[in-house]
Amino acid sequence: MINLVIKPKPINKENFRKFGDMITTDDIKPLEINDGYAKRYDGIANLDAKKDDGESIISIFSALKRSFPMKVDMMEKHPLGSQAFIPMKETTFLAFVAPAGDKPDLNNVEAFIVPKGVGVNYNSGIWHFPLIATEDMNFLVVDRKGEGDNLVLHDLNKENITLEFQI
């Protein structure tokens, strides 16, 4: 049995790159549109939904606030497509991830603090704990719909993994 206590660190584009994209407008030059009344930021995440003729869909996940310290009792991955989470109002949330593989590599799990105004996009096959909201919140989610098994669950109940965070 493994005993792990994980404390999340602040996310940035570099430290999250191996797991996916940090969805932010930082460092992206916008295009002015709508006669100057709006700005468009392109290329903020690399969505992947086309495996096995899948398609991208947009959903709303209504997440409940988590309590900390939190037991990490499972992880999931989506082998056929990426999955993006964008809060529908400014909030902080957490991302708990492990590299792609047959099962989560518990020696390489990481947790990130995702600040207000930022989202995340998990690459296809990245292990992650489901949405970790720090307040009751709706999230816009972009992921894959289509044939094939795009959800793999891994039970971690026999392990002792705790995520610590101060709100």
Side-chain angles (χ1 to χ4, degrees), residues 56-75:
S56 295
I57 60 167
I58 298 175
S59 305
I60 293 176
F61 286 19
S62 188
L64 297 177
K65 175 183 177 179
R66 300 280 184 161
S67 297
F68 301 96
M70 184 187 92
K71 180 173 174 46
V72 177
D73 57 359
M74 59 84 70
M75 292 185 85

Side-chain angles (χ1 to χ4, degrees), residues 11 21 29 52 54 60-61 66 87 133-135 141 145 151:
I11 194 172
D21 305 303
K29 185 177 179 185
D52 294 344
I60 293 176
F61 286 19
R66 300 280 184 161
T134 59
E135 63 180 301
V141 178
K145 178 182 177 181
L151 177 61

Side-chain angles (χ1 to χ4, degrees), residues 47-99:
L47 300 177
D48 173 15
K50 295 186 178 178
K51 289 181 187 159
D52 294 344
D53 296 320
E55 59 183 289
S56 295
I57 60 167
I58 298 175
S59 305
I60 293 176
F61 286 19
S62 188
L64 297 177
K65 175 183 177 179
R66 300 280 184 161
S67 297
F68 301 96
M70 184 187 92
K71 180 173 174 46
V72 177
D73 57 359
M74 59 84 70
M75 292 185 85
E76 65 182 36
K77 71 176 179 177
H78 307 283
L80 302 179
S82 60
Q83 189 175 44
F85 294 90
I86 304 144
M88 293 184 70
K89 77 172 194 177
E90 290 201 351
T91 189
T92 298
F93 67 103
L94 303 180
F96 186 93
V97 293

Side-chain angles (χ1 to χ4, degrees), residues 9-29 41-46 112-115 117-121 123:
K9 60 189 167 193
I11 194 172
N12 63 53
K13 286 183 178 182
E14 289 74 37
N15 69 9
F16 194 72
R17 181 165 291 143
K18 62 187 167 191
F19 303 110
D21 305 303
M22 182 175 138
I23 299 174
T24 179
T25 58
D26 290 352
D27 304 323
I28 297 176
K29 185 177 179 185
Y41 296 86
D42 287 338
I44 59 173
N46 297 303
F112 296 92
I113 303 166
V114 185
V118 174
V120 297
N121 180 50
N123 287 340

Side-chain angles (χ1 to χ4, degrees), residues 123-144:
N123 287 340
S124 174
I126 291 296
W127 289 100
H128 60 278
F129 189 85
L131 194 49
I132 306 171
T134 59
E135 63 180 301
D136 294 351
M137 173 65 54
N138 286 340
F139 285 78
L140 191 69
V141 178
V142 182
D143 61 0
R144 181 190 179 278

